[in-house]
Amino acid sequence: MVSLIDPKTLLHIEGFSAKRVAWLKNKVLSEGVWTKPLCIERDHRLVMDGQHRMEVALALGLSAVPCLLFDYHDVDVWSLRHTEEVTRELVIQRSLEGNIYPYKTAKHGFPIEMPVLDIPLERLR
């Protein structure tokens, strides 16, 4: 079930690309709709998937963003970098400490297929 959550209450787990945020922001503005939910760890509101979408929501001043909430025990996690150790516990710890992983480090496998959304931006303002 998709929940609408204030993006200011969410926490990054890894860095992001400012160039990608700018591209995605323009795409969202030109389409006028939000099409993909962020995937959020339910207990700490960590952004497991959607770092760029979170930044777009903040840049647009949205008061809500569509999210799917997950328990970390139901999600697989691994590293895209051989030099970084990524576990559920480390992701949570590092995010809460503000010591997020570098961009493109943590990858998650979710137990459901991601829905395609069609939520007008005005509904999220």
Side-chain angles (χ1 to χ4, degrees):
M1 180 173 107
V2 175
S3 300
L4 295 178
I5 297 176
D6 184 341
K8 292 186 288 288
T9 68
L10 302 175
L11 296 173
H12 283 293
I13 65 162
E14 65 182 7
F16 56 88
S17 162
K19 194 180 240 186
R20 175 104 173 125
V21 171
W23 174 84
L24 187 56
K25 178 181 171 189
N26 288 333
K27 181 180 183 293
V28 169
L29 285 172
S30 70
E31 293 175 356
V33 294
W34 198 276
T35 59
K36 188 174 178 184
L38 283 73
C39 296
I40 306 300
E41 185 273 334
R42 88 172 63 247
D43 293 331
H44 303 95
R45 294 208 171 181
L46 309 180
V47 179
M48 301 161 96
D49 183 62
Q51 313 301 316
H52 296 96
R53 284 172 273 144
M54 173 185 161
E55 286 299 311
V56 168
L58 293 170
L60 294 176
L62 300 182
S63 62
V65 65
C67 299
L68 294 174
L69 302 175
F70 293 93
D71 183 308
Y72 235 137
H73 296 291
D74 297 329
V75 175
D76 293 327
V77 62
W78 64 93
S79 179
L80 295 173
R81 298 172 185 251
H82 299 296
T83 58
E84 295 281 347
E85 181 183 6
V86 174
T87 65
R88 293 170 182 87
E89 296 77 18
L90 283 174
V91 170
I92 293 168
Q93 177 187 343
R94 288 182 65 151
S95 183
L96 294 177
E97 292 173 349
N99 180 25
I100 62 174
Y101 283 101
Y103 176 48
K104 292 281 190 192
T105 297
K107 184 72 175 163
H108 294 86
F110 299 97
I112 64 168
E113 190 172 323
M114 292 300 125
V116 176
L117 307 175
D118 191 25
I119 301 174
L121 282 182
E122 286 308 312
R123 183 169 167 214
L124 304 174
R125 295 200 187 277

